[in-house]
Amino acid sequence: MNIKDRIIQQAGRLFFQYGVKSISMDEVASSLGISKRTIYENFKDKEDLLLSYLKHEFEQRNQLVREFMEQCDNVIEVFLHIMEIHKTASFVNVKFYEDIYKYYPRVNAFLKNEHNKANDFLIKFLQKGIEQGVIRENLNVKVVAFLVEESTSVYIRASYLEKPPFSFSELTSTMMINFIRGISTEKGIKIVDEYLMKHQIEQ
Amino acid sequence: MNIKDRIIQQAGRLFFQYGVKSISMDEVASSLGISKRTIYENFKDKEDLLLSYLKHEFEQRNQLVREFMEQCDNVIEVFLHIMEIHKTASFVNVKFYEDIYKYYPRVNAFLKNEHNKANDFLIKFLQKGIEQGVIRENLNVKVVAFLVEESTSVYIRASYLEKPPFSFSELTSTMMINFIRGISTEKGIKIVDEYLMKHQIEQ
C-alpha cells in the first residue's frame, strides 16, 4: 500500500473511533510513524484528508455492490451479501457525524450528494426485485429507499446508548433480515431462509 | 371539555406545529380566546404545561394499547391497529424535540423514562407473539424493541426533508407493514395480508 493510502486508512480509522475534531494531523502522523510534513505533501488540510477517505469508502462500497449484482441471481441475495459486509463494521463515534455536520461543509455536501445518488439507485434496484418476483409489487419504493438510507442514523443513535443490550453485529443482522423479509414476496422469503440456514446466521 | 384540557390540547397542537420555544403563553391564551392569567391558574409555567400535555398523550396511547390487547386475538393485530392510529398523525416540527432536548430537562427526563418503560413492555409483548406462533421464535427481541422505539426518530428526520416524496401516512404504513411482516412467521404474515385486504390498505 502506498503512503497516501496508508494515511487515508489510518486517518479514517481514528476519525471513526474518536471523531474528526479531536484528532490532530500530528496524531495521524505519529500513529503512522511519519512526519506531519508527509501528510501535508499529500493532503491540503484535514477536510481534504477526510473527504479523500470518504470518497475511497464510497468507491469501495459501490464496487462491492456492482460485484454482488454480477454474482447474484436476484436482488434479495445482493441485500444479504451487503448485510454480511455491514456486520463486520463497528459502532461509530457519534462525534464523527456531528463534527462533519458542524465543521466540514464540503464533506457534508459530498455526503448529501452521495445520499441522493444512493436513493435513485435504490429505487431502480427495488423495481428490479419486483420484476424478479422477489419483492412485493405493491411496495412503496420511495418510502423504502428512504428507510434504507435512514438505517445509517439508527446505527448512529445506537452508538449513543450507554450500555447497548446488543452487539453491533446483532443490531445489523436483525435489522437487515427483518427489513429484507418485510419487503419480500413468499419467493423472496424462501431465498432469505435458505441463505440463513446455509450460513447459520442468527436472526 | 374543561378549560384545563382545552389548554393542554391547544398548547400541544401549537408546540407540535411550531416548536415549544417559539410559542408564547400569550399565543396559547389568545388562540383560545382566554386570558394568560387563566393559563397560569392551571399551570405553573410552560414546562409544566408541556409535561401535562405529554403525560396526557402517553396515558391515552397506553389506554388504547390496553384496549387493543383486549379486543385482538394476537399481537400482530394489535400492531396493525396501532398502525391505523399512527397513520392519522402528521409530521412534527423538528423544533419540538430539539427544544425539549435543549431547554426542558424535566420533560426530557420524563420522555427518557417513558422510553425505558415502553422498551420493557415491548420485549414482553414480542415474547407473547412468539408464544402465539405469529412472531419468529429466533428473533432478537432486544434489538427489535430498540428498533420500534427508534421509529420515532425516523419520523423526525423525515420531517427534515425539504420536499418529502411521500406523505406521512405513506411513510407510516409502509414502515409499519414492512416491520410487522419482517418479524412475523408464515402464520403472522397471513394475518397481515388478510387485514390489509379487508381494510384495503396500501402497502
Side-chain angles (χ1 to χ4, degrees):
Chain A
M1 204 187 291
N2 66 34
I3 187 69
K4 194 162 181 173
D5 288 340
R6 276 180 61 213
I7 297 169
I8 287 177
Q9 203 172 71
Q10 175 66 1
R13 192 159 33 215
L14 292 171
F15 294 158
F16 249 64
Q17 201 171 349
Y18 303 103
V20 185
K21 206 72 186 167
S22 71
I23 294 294
S24 66
M25 292 297 238
D26 273 319
E27 280 167 304
V28 177
S30 70
S31 73
L32 283 163
I34 60 171
S35 71
K36 199 161 73 168
R37 194 179 146 180
T38 309
I39 298 186
Y40 281 109
E41 278 166 6
N42 287 281
F43 304 95
K44 216 181 88 214
D45 53 24
K46 212 206 272 181
E47 183 157 30
D48 185 29
L49 176 51
L50 174 60
L51 198 55
S52 302
Y53 166 68
L54 287 169
K55 278 184 181 165
H56 178 257
E57 285 296 298
F58 276 96
E59 267 164 34
Q60 268 206 322
R61 192 182 85 167
N62 294 342
Q63 178 57 28
L64 261 178
V65 172
R66 273 193 298 272
E67 279 172 27
F68 290 153
M69 286 179 78
E70 278 169 29
Q71 289 162 19
C72 297
D73 290 334
N74 57 67
V75 161
I76 300 291
E77 279 179 24
V78 176
F79 270 128
L80 289 163
H81 276 84
I82 294 170
M83 176 187 76
E84 294 287 333
I85 303 296
H86 272 278
K87 272 173 67 182
T88 60
S90 54
F91 286 117
V92 180
N93 192 319
V94 290
K95 286 197 195 115
F96 179 76
Y97 290 104
E98 283 177 1
D99 288 349
I100 288 176
Y101 184 73
K102 279 189 205 159
Y103 307 112
Y104 302 102
R106 271 174 59 217
V107 177
N108 206 33
F110 167 77
L111 286 182
K112 209 169 169 180
N113 187 41
E114 286 297 319
H115 178 97
N116 288 340
K117 282 197 293 188
N119 198 280
D120 293 345
F121 172 80
L122 265 164
I123 288 175
K124 285 190 199 117
F125 186 67
L126 291 165
Q127 277 158 345
K128 197 173 158 189
I130 293 172
E131 284 163 32
Q132 291 170 344
V134 292
I135 290 183
R136 298 187 285 120
E137 62 179 344
N138 41 15
L139 194 72
N140 187 324
V141 288
K142 281 182 185 171
V143 172
V144 172
F146 170 76
L147 292 175
V148 170
E149 285 295 299
E150 266 310 288
S151 60
T152 313
S153 312
V154 177
Y155 296 128
I156 296 173
R157 278 192 316 285
S159 58
Y160 270 104
L161 294 172
E162 274 168 52
K163 290 178 193 167
F166 40 74
S167 67
F168 185 83
S169 151
E170 282 178 303
L171 172 63
T172 316
S173 61
T174 301
M175 190 159 109
M176 290 199 69
I177 291 167
N178 271 3
F179 171 77
I180 301 167
R181 289 179 69 101
I183 62 172
S184 291
T185 59
E186 226 180 298
K187 185 178 160 190
I189 291 179
K190 264 195 196 124
I191 297 168
V192 177
D193 285 340
E194 275 163 27
Y195 184 94
L196 297 179
M197 202 130 75
K198 202 168 125 195
H199 294 76
Q200 298 198 302
I201 292 167
E202 278 201 55
Q203 301 168 52
Chain B
M1 203 187 295
N2 67 33
I3 187 68
K4 193 163 180 171
D5 288 340
R6 276 181 60 214
I7 298 169
I8 286 177
Q9 204 172 70
Q10 176 67 1
R13 193 160 31 215
L14 292 171
F15 294 159
F16 249 63
Q17 203 173 347
Y18 304 103
V20 185
K21 206 70 187 169
S22 72
I23 293 294
S24 67
M25 292 297 239
D26 273 319
E27 280 166 305
V28 178
S30 70
S31 72
L32 282 163
I34 61 172
S35 71
K36 199 160 73 169
R37 196 180 144 177
T38 310
I39 298 186
Y40 282 107
E41 279 165 5
N42 288 282
F43 303 95
K44 217 181 87 214
D45 52 23
K46 212 205 276 182
E47 183 158 31
D48 185 30
L49 175 52
L50 173 60
L51 198 56
S52 302
Y53 166 69
L54 286 170
K55 278 184 180 163
H56 179 257
E57 284 296 297
F58 277 96
E59 267 164 33
Q60 268 206 322
R61 191 181 84 165
N62 294 342
Q63 177 56 28
L64 260 178
V65 172
R66 273 193 298 273
E67 279 171 27
F68 290 152
M69 285 179 79
E70 278 169 28
Q71 291 161 18
C72 296
D73 290 333
N74 57 66
V75 160
I76 300 290
E77 279 179 23
V78 176
F79 269 128
L80 289 163
H81 275 84
I82 293 171
M83 177 187 76
E84 294 288 330
I85 302 297
H86 272 279
K87 272 172 65 181
T88 60
S90 54
F91 286 117
V92 180
N93 191 319
V94 290
K95 286 198 194 112
F96 180 75
Y97 291 104
E98 283 177 359
D99 288 349
I100 289 176
Y101 183 73
K102 279 190 205 158
Y103 307 111
Y104 303 102
R106 272 173 61 217
V107 177
N108 207 32
F110 168 77
L111 285 181
K112 210 170 170 178
N113 187 40
E114 285 298 319
H115 178 97
N116 288 340
K117 282 198 292 189
N119 199 280
D120 293 345
F121 172 80
L122 265 164
I123 289 175
K124 284 190 198 117
F125 186 67
L126 291 165
Q127 277 158 346
K128 198 174 158 188
I130 293 173
E131 283 163 32
Q132 291 170 345
V134 293
I135 290 184
R136 297 186 287 121
E137 62 179 343
N138 41 14
L139 194 72
N140 188 324
V141 289
K142 282 182 186 172
V143 173
V144 172
F146 170 76
L147 293 174
V148 169
E149 285 294 298
E150 266 310 288
S151 60
T152 312
S153 312
V154 177
Y155 296 128
I156 295 173
R157 277 193 316 286
S159 60
Y160 271 105
L161 293 172
E162 272 167 54
K163 290 179 192 163
F166 40 74
S167 68
F168 186 83
S169 152
E170 282 178 304
L171 173 63
T172 317
S173 60
T174 301
M175 190 159 107
M176 291 199 69
I177 291 168
N178 271 3
F179 172 78
I180 301 168
R181 291 180 69 103
I183 61 172
S184 291
T185 58
E186 225 181 297
K187 185 178 160 189
I189 290 178
K190 265 195 194 123
I191 297 167
V192 178
D193 285 339
E194 276 162 25
Y195 184 95
L196 297 179
M197 202 130 77
K198 202 168 126 195
H199 294 77
Q200 299 197 303
I201 292 167
E202 276 202 57
Q203 300 168 53

